[in-house]
Amino acid sequence: MPDEAFALFKDLTKLDAIAISNNHHNLTKFLQALKKEGASPDTPSFPALSHIHLHLIDFDEMQRGNARIRVRDLIKDLQHREEFCPIHELSIKQCINFSVAHWEALTGSLREGIEADWDEDEKILEPLDSEDDNNYPGIDWHDEDVWSGRYDDFDYGYGYDYDDW
């Protein structure tokens, strides 16, 4: 979602729920917009927001072991919001790299009475070892066949016939 969309949505006075799915980058943009002021200096962004739903968000999308930092940012931004317009409902469903420890830290930081729901689905992916691994997911760079030329004829899914070139 472009930054302009969050700029537009953050001042809507009747927007009471936001659902973010499949895109960690949009969660990051949303949290940045959540911290900003609204249309006037004394109004928060998303002034009517009371429900946040996160679905299939990878809290460590770059696989660098930073899920803890992302959860901490979520906690800080929700706590900042408590002062102006508290959230009444938070749901986290089928998220990746989100653990029991993250849930306990998150719920332990929220005020009493908030309806917090997590499906307890823990899918934790191991951090990648190098920059190359991140650029080509699924390729084992330690496999001798990758470097030996065995895959020279691989068409990378484009259906090219390299013998005709």
Side-chain angles (χ1 to χ4, degrees):
M1 181 175 288
D3 293 334
E4 296 81 21
F6 282 109
L8 172 69
F9 292 142
K10 77 177 187 67
D11 294 327
L12 295 177
T13 58
K14 295 187 182 205
L15 179 67
D16 67 343
I18 293 233
I20 301 173
S21 185
N22 293 320
N23 195 315
H24 180 271
H25 189 62
N26 282 343
L27 175 62
T28 301
K29 287 181 184 182
F30 167 69
L31 292 176
Q32 290 169 348
L34 192 63
K35 291 187 280 192
K36 295 180 179 177
E37 290 184 340
S40 64
D42 294 332
T43 34
S45 59
F46 304 97
L49 184 64
S50 61
H51 300 77
I52 299 174
H53 306 282
L54 305 178
H55 181 250
L56 290 170
I57 300 292
D58 187 344
F59 277 79
D60 190 18
E61 190 170 76
M62 298 303 290
Q63 294 183 305
R64 299 282 185 242
N66 293 327
R68 180 182 49 81
I69 294 168
R70 303 293 177 251
V71 173
R72 184 196 64 206
D73 291 345
L74 177 61
I75 290 169
K76 281 185 354 187
D77 295 339
L78 291 176
Q79 287 175 336
H80 172 75
R81 178 131 187 118
E82 283 294 314
E83 189 177 324
F84 307 103
C85 299
I87 299 298
H88 299 291
E89 181 183 336
L90 172 67
S91 70
I92 298 177
K93 304 289 182 191
Q94 297 179 312
C95 287
I96 302 163
N97 292 312
F98 187 84
S99 69
V100 171
H102 296 142
W103 179 248
E104 290 172 353
L106 180 59
T107 55
S109 71
L110 300 173
R111 67 173 166 73
E112 286 189 35
I114 188 170
E115 187 177 326
D117 183 35
W118 175 46
D119 62 4
E120 298 182 20
D121 184 6
E122 277 188 283
K123 182 177 180 184
I124 307 298
L125 303 177
E126 292 298 318
L128 295 173
D129 292 333
S130 72
E131 291 283 331
D132 291 334
D133 292 342
N134 194 34
N135 293 330
Y136 301 95
I139 293 179
D140 180 4
W141 292 103
H142 305 289
D143 182 353
E144 289 181 24
D145 290 334
V146 170
W147 299 106
S148 68
R150 179 173 173 199
Y151 297 127
D152 286 348
D153 293 332
F154 187 67
D155 71 359
Y156 299 98
Y158 295 109
Y160 296 131
D161 185 1
Y162 293 101
D163 294 332
D164 291 340
W165 287 33

